[in-house]
Amino acid sequence: ANWLQTGADWWKGDFNGDGTVDDLDLAVLAANWGAGPGGPAVPEPAAVALLVGAVVALPILRRRGR
């Protein structure tokens, strides 16, 4: 509703604070779409631990196969 309006605030769609609702604000909106109130999604600690374990185990398993 405020596209290309000048003097807009954040709550009117000026997400980068330059005073105009434009394509830069749309890019900010698209980059954060679905992030929720707490910001971007953060992986669970168990998922991070599983990933670290796989990265550590892969070279060991590859050496055993030689």
Side-chain angles (χ1 to χ4, degrees):
N2 296 310
W3 187 253
L4 298 179
Q5 296 291 320
T6 58
D9 293 327
W10 183 89
W11 59 275
K12 289 184 178 178
D14 181 21
F15 300 124
N16 65 353
D18 67 354
T20 304
V21 180
D22 55 12
D23 57 342
L24 298 175
D25 299 301
L26 180 60
V28 172
L29 177 66
N32 293 289
W33 187 262
V42 178
E44 284 187 44
V48 174
L50 183 63
L51 179 63
V52 169
V55 168
V56 169
L58 187 61
I60 294 169
L61 293 174
R62 291 183 90 184
R63 273 190 253 148
R64 285 187 181 179
R66 287 184 181 177

